[in-house]
Amino acid sequence: MPEQISERARLSGDCARCFGLCCVALPFTASADFAVDKPAGKPCGNLGGDHRCGIHAELRQKGFGGCTVYDCFGAGQQVSQVIFGGQDWRTGSPEHARRMFEAFPVVRQLHELLRYLTEALDLPAARPVRTELGRLLEDTEELTRGTPGELAALDVAAHREKVNVLLLRTSELARAGVRGRKKDRRGADLVGARLRNAGLRGVSLRGACLIAADLTGADLRDTDLIGADLRAADLTDADLTGAIFLTQPQVDAARGSAGTRLPASVARPVHWTAPAAP
């Protein structure tokens, strides 16, 4: 268990060891999630000289809710401290900054894959493919240690597809024992869907768009939620016990309650209703 916790922490953002890369390298467009437009490579106006957000405690109130549901999966500290050896983009040359900003989104994708592969290896049902999962995990780890030039030339999409094939197989193995499961809804458009008390145990909702869906009291146990868009989805009193490939950003983007049951792989968002005292 301590090793699992340590690995989970490594694949989560550690802002204290990063140079605010997500606040500089990534672009965002004025919308319900971001109050202003910002091009890639330009520091957010709220970013201080210490690489900390000046409105961190008020992000939602100030119109930057998108920042509160973002996680680099540990890519920030990997790029800042390992690949670029702790050299700040502010103090380096423009070329140094450009290479750092280019590397960050690539490493972020690789770290997201590491998050999924790590979880897959922990699933008892994944035993038939554990050797392959371990090999892909090692290969992905090696890629995250590449030079800026190697990262810029990397075909991330091709590597993601290779990993996805195995994650699909892992998902099928993990959900195979669920009796009477309903039809998979992979990639389904379920925006605003009324799924209150729906029995979705063991269903694949991979890549499904569940924005503002009503999942109050839904049974989402053992459900595959990789890539599902849960922004503003209502998970009040829903049961997500054993849900696979569910990430913290997905949960943070949803709404929940004290009665929402979550897998151990994610933490209850602070903006949700606090769980009742035992």
Side-chain angles (χ1 to χ4, degrees), residues 12-72:
S12 294
D14 184 351
C15 298
R17 299 179 59 224
C18 177
F19 298 134
L21 293 180
C22 64
C23 305
V24 187
L26 306 180
F28 49 75
T29 304
S31 62
D33 294 321
F34 299 102
V36 297
D37 289 325
K38 187 195 81 65
K42 178 181 178 180
C44 173
N46 299 310
L47 184 67
D50 60 353
H51 302 299
R52 300 298 181 93
C53 176
I55 61 168
H56 188 266
E58 303 174 286
L59 283 168
R60 290 180 183 275
Q61 297 91 315
K62 298 286 188 178
F64 290 86
C67 298
T68 68
V69 299
Y70 178 80
D71 189 346
C72 70

Side-chain angles (χ1 to χ4, degrees), residues 78-88 96 99-101 103 148:
Q78 176 71 15
V79 172
S80 297
Q81 303 301 329
V82 179
I83 297 174
F84 286 88
Q87 185 176 5
D88 189 345
H96 167 82
R99 291 163 67 211
M100 182 175 279
F101 299 156

Side-chain angles (χ1 to χ4, degrees), residues 21-22 73 91 110 126 137 140-141 143 145 149 168 177 218 242 268:
L21 293 180
C22 64
F73 296 104
T91 57
L110 293 173
L137 180 70
T140 306
E141 285 273 15
L143 291 175
R145 295 189 285 268
L168 277 168
R268 185 175 300 274

